[in-house]
Amino acid sequence: MASIQQINGDYYGSKETLTEALPYLKKKDIYSVSINNFFGIADKELSNYDDAIYYYNEALKDCADSLCKQTPLNNIAVIYIHQKKYDNAIKIFESIINTKKSGEGDQNSNALILDNLGYALYKKGLHEKGLLFMQKGLDTRNKYNDDYGSIESNLHLTEYYTDSEPQKSRQFALNAYETATKLNSIDERLEALSFLMTNNSVINKTEYIQKFIFLNDSILKVRNNFKNKFAKIKYDSKKEKDENEKLRLEKAEDLVAIKEAEKDKVILFATLIAVVFSGVYLRNRYKNKERLGKIKTAYDTETRIAKDIHDELANDVFDTITFTQTQSLTTENNTGILLQKLNHIYTRVRGISRENNDIDTGTNYSRNLKDMLSTYSDKNINVSINGVEKINWDVIEELKKITIHRVLQELMVNMKKHSEASVVVLKFETDSTKIFINYSDNGKGGEKSKIIKNGLQNMENRILSVKGAITFETEPQKGFKVKITMPK
């Protein structure tokens, strides 16, 4: 599953799935090599180069022979190229070539090492020697019909000839683009188009720019849809498994009840022992359930942060990069647009940081809570907050105060993103034993079943973990209401 996610560009999701695979490892073997190598690939694509090298080295430790070590060693060397540590990269590539036995590995693997060695030599400034290895790698790939590998070779040669021979550079870029199109390799198509857009021998670049923008927009939509679809598949699978487990437990409990009915004549001493053991079992089960609830809440929070960064912030950054590559920044209008995009990214970063700061549960709690809620009020949204000061927060447990803060924060984020509301009202009330919080807005609302399924499960888990209750009321075009009840 992690491999499929990486193919579709979901590197954060891939790392989560790989983490789920770790408990199944019983020993260090080819599977631990594979898992660590996939971790390294994910971090490399996310530009976490030091973390990537760490995982590739972990993969090396578990390799049983030199053939197994070729892949992680090559990947480490590629990272060094990205870090401009060309001498380190060249040393590794040459060591792989020197340690290869006669006939060891396939020709496609040999071509990969030759091409990467040539590219590292070229980046270091040894152009003629680098060209020799890159051309040898491409010839080998063409000879053994390694179409996918030839894309990378053509891209390397495209870069090599960019300044010295633009016409040759253009031809290699076109070769890479055509092969990538045939194999439906979107990222390589985009890279080839980026070279064509900047090639000096290309007179009319509009066609390539339009193709680049269209492909980029399309792949972003496809990959976002894939992530949602993949998450739903995993959710449905887990739900089915949980339901089957529940049925199994219910069946087991029914059998126990039948056996208990057959033991009505058992002596009092045996009954008392059974009661004691049942009490211990139920207590441990309750504690374990409570612990799992806390773990799930933390996991859901981390997943939401990763999703915000990956789905929103990363897309904004890539959109800004594309804008700088395709538009002239010498005009005042384009400069203003670029500043607006950068300011939007800055605002998103501050928003994510604010949503995940530590919460002060001391004497300033009520004021900080009110300040947090007020930040969501602007010229388009009027947020009304009533009754926060009427509650004696000093007698409320710290965990419950944190839960209230986080749940209300998630409600406000959800409102800001989806509701299109202009008026939001929060009302706080209390009696001798409970706290009551009522939220309502005049937004677009929606189908209750769909809204709860798609976004509010984390809030419900938080409230239930502190023995509270939460209900949702909504209909299309009739706003959104939430009622929270929590014991003091």
Side-chain angles (χ1 to χ4, degrees):
M1 288 193 292
S3 175
I4 295 170
Q5 287 172 289
Q6 290 194 3
I7 291 171
N8 286 275
D10 184 14
Y11 297 105
Y12 284 108
S14 174
K15 291 180 71 174
E16 292 172 7
T17 304
L18 289 168
T19 302
E20 294 173 10
L22 291 176
Y24 297 97
L25 281 177
K26 303 303 180 185
K27 60 181 180 179
K28 302 296 184 180
D29 57 11
I30 188 172
Y31 294 106
S32 61
V33 173
S34 179
I35 288 175
N36 282 307
N37 197 57
F38 275 127
F39 267 122
I41 293 171
D43 278 322
K44 177 231 176 185
E45 294 299 328
L46 294 171
S47 298
N48 301 326
Y49 295 135
D50 290 336
D51 290 343
I53 289 176
Y54 167 80
Y55 284 114
Y56 289 143
N57 279 321
E58 289 298 304
L60 277 174
K61 293 177 184 178
D62 298 336
C63 282
D65 53 57
S66 60
L67 187 61
C68 171
K69 292 180 180 181
Q70 288 180 19
T71 296
L73 281 172
N74 173 76
N75 292 341
I76 291 172
V78 170
I79 295 293
Y80 283 143
I81 294 176
H82 284 287
Q83 294 179 323
K84 299 183 179 180
K85 299 177 181 179
Y86 304 122
D87 288 332
N88 293 347
I90 293 168
K91 184 178 179 181
I92 291 176
F93 289 133
E94 289 179 341
S95 72
I96 295 174
I97 293 173
N98 292 334
T99 56
K100 273 180 175 288
K101 299 176 182 177
S102 177
E104 184 181 36
D106 57 42
Q107 293 300 324
N108 292 341
S109 173
N110 296 336
L112 170 69
I113 303 302
L114 290 172
D115 178 54
N116 284 337
L117 172 58
Y119 185 69
L121 290 167
Y122 151 65
K123 296 297 287 186
K124 185 184 177 182
L126 303 174
H127 290 192
E128 293 182 2
K129 189 175 181 181
L131 176 61
L132 180 66
F133 280 101
M134 286 189 287
Q135 190 62 58
K136 188 175 181 180
L138 177 59
D139 292 341
T140 303
R141 282 167 159 164
N142 289 335
K143 180 179 178 181
Y144 291 95
N145 299 318
D146 180 14
D147 290 340
Y148 186 82
S150 71
I151 299 174
E152 192 68 13
S153 287
N154 277 293
L155 289 172
H156 284 165
L157 291 168
T158 297
E159 183 178 347
Y160 178 88
Y161 287 112
T162 295
D163 296 323
S164 60
E165 296 184 57
Q167 288 284 358
K168 272 192 176 182
S169 176
R170 176 176 176 272
Q171 186 56 52
F172 281 117
L174 286 172
N175 292 343
Y177 178 78
E178 290 171 1
T179 305
T181 302
K182 181 178 71 174
L183 299 178
N184 198 29
S185 300
I186 300 298
D187 291 328
E188 286 79 7
R189 288 176 70 187
L190 288 171
E191 187 174 355
L193 285 170
S194 68
F195 279 116
L196 291 169
M197 289 189 311
T198 57
N199 190 284
N200 293 331
S201 69
V202 178
I203 299 175
N204 184 10
K205 301 177 182 179
T206 304
E207 176 187 359
Y208 299 127
I209 293 173
Q210 291 175 343
K211 286 182 178 179
F212 182 93
I213 294 173
F214 173 79
L215 279 176
N216 182 59
D217 290 344
S218 299
I219 195 60
L220 285 176
K221 292 178 182 177
V222 169
R223 285 176 173 172
N224 284 334
N225 289 335
F226 168 83
K227 285 181 287 184
N228 294 333
K229 182 178 180 180
F230 205 93
K232 185 179 184 303
I233 292 172
K234 292 177 71 175
Y235 171 81
D236 290 342
S237 176
K238 182 180 183 301
K239 183 179 179 182
E240 182 180 358
K241 182 179 179 181
D242 291 343
E243 289 175 351
N244 289 337
E245 180 66 14
K246 182 180 178 182
L247 289 173
R248 187 187 68 79
L249 289 174
E250 288 176 352
K251 184 178 179 180
E253 289 171 356
D254 289 342
L255 291 174
V256 170
I258 293 173
K259 290 181 180 179
E260 289 296 326
E262 295 173 350
K263 295 178 182 178
D264 288 339
K265 297 181 181 180
V266 176
I267 61 174
L268 179 61
F269 181 71
T271 303
L272 291 174
I273 292 176
V275 170
V276 170
F277 276 102
S278 296
V280 172
Y281 167 77
L282 292 173
R283 184 188 65 181
N284 291 339
R285 182 178 177 184
Y286 173 79
K287 287 184 177 180
N288 187 51
K289 183 178 179 182
E290 187 176 46
R291 180 179 64 85
L292 290 175
K294 291 179 180 179
I295 292 172
K296 186 178 187 304
T297 298
Y299 174 82
D300 289 342
T301 299
E302 293 172 359
T303 301
R304 175 172 56 79
I305 296 171
K307 189 175 189 302
D308 282 346
I309 294 173
H310 190 243
D311 288 357
E312 298 181 21
L313 186 58
N315 288 349
D316 291 342
V317 171
F318 194 85
D319 176 62
T320 303
I321 293 172
T322 302
F323 180 84
T324 61
Q325 291 177 335
T326 60
Q327 303 295 325
S328 172
L329 300 181
T330 58
T331 65
E332 184 176 351
N333 183 53
N334 285 347
T335 302
I337 294 174
L338 177 60
L339 291 174
Q340 289 177 1
K341 289 178 179 290
L342 292 173
N343 185 63
H344 177 69
I345 293 171
Y346 172 73
T347 303
R348 283 295 307 139
V349 172
R350 290 201 62 184
I352 294 172
S353 175
R354 184 188 66 215
E355 291 169 13
N356 297 282
N357 282 338
D358 290 336
I359 297 170
D360 181 4
T361 58
T363 57
N364 296 323
Y365 176 80
S366 61
R367 185 183 65 187
N368 292 339
L369 178 62
K370 193 170 184 178
D371 289 345
M372 181 276 290
L373 296 171
S374 299
T375 58
Y376 293 89
S377 182
D378 57 30
K379 64 180 181 179
N380 297 318
I381 304 173
N382 179 24
V383 178
S384 176
I385 308 163
N386 302 311
V388 176
E389 299 84 359
K390 294 180 180 179
I391 297 176
N392 184 8
W393 296 103
D394 292 336
V395 301
I396 309 299
E397 294 176 9
E398 180 178 345
L399 178 59
K400 292 180 179 178
K401 287 192 279 189
I402 292 173
T403 299
I404 290 172
H405 187 104
R406 289 301 188 203
V407 167
L408 293 180
Q409 189 175 58
E410 289 188 35
L411 273 174
M412 299 304 286
V413 171
N414 186 68
M415 175 276 298
K416 196 82 170 180
K417 289 182 177 179
H418 307 297
S419 73
E420 300 178 7
S422 60
V423 177
V424 178
V425 178
L426 291 110
K427 187 176 181 180
F428 295 77
E429 296 177 320
T430 184
D431 61 16
S432 58
T433 61
K434 295 180 180 179
I435 300 171
F436 306 94
I437 303 173
N438 293 324
Y439 166 96
S440 63
D441 67 44
N442 65 344
K444 63 182 182 180
E447 303 251 350
K448 182 177 179 181
S449 59
K450 292 183 179 179
I451 288 178
I452 293 175
K453 183 177 181 181
N454 291 338
L456 305 179
Q457 189 66 51
N458 191 39
M459 299 182 202
E460 187 173 9
N461 290 338
R462 286 183 183 273
I463 295 298
L464 292 177
S465 70
V466 292
K467 301 180 181 179
I470 183 170
T471 60
F472 306 96
E473 297 178 15
T474 183
E475 291 182 22
Q477 307 306 321
K478 291 188 178 181
F480 186 67
K481 295 181 179 180
V482 180
K483 294 182 179 181
I484 299 172
T485 304
M486 186 180 296
K488 287 187 177 179

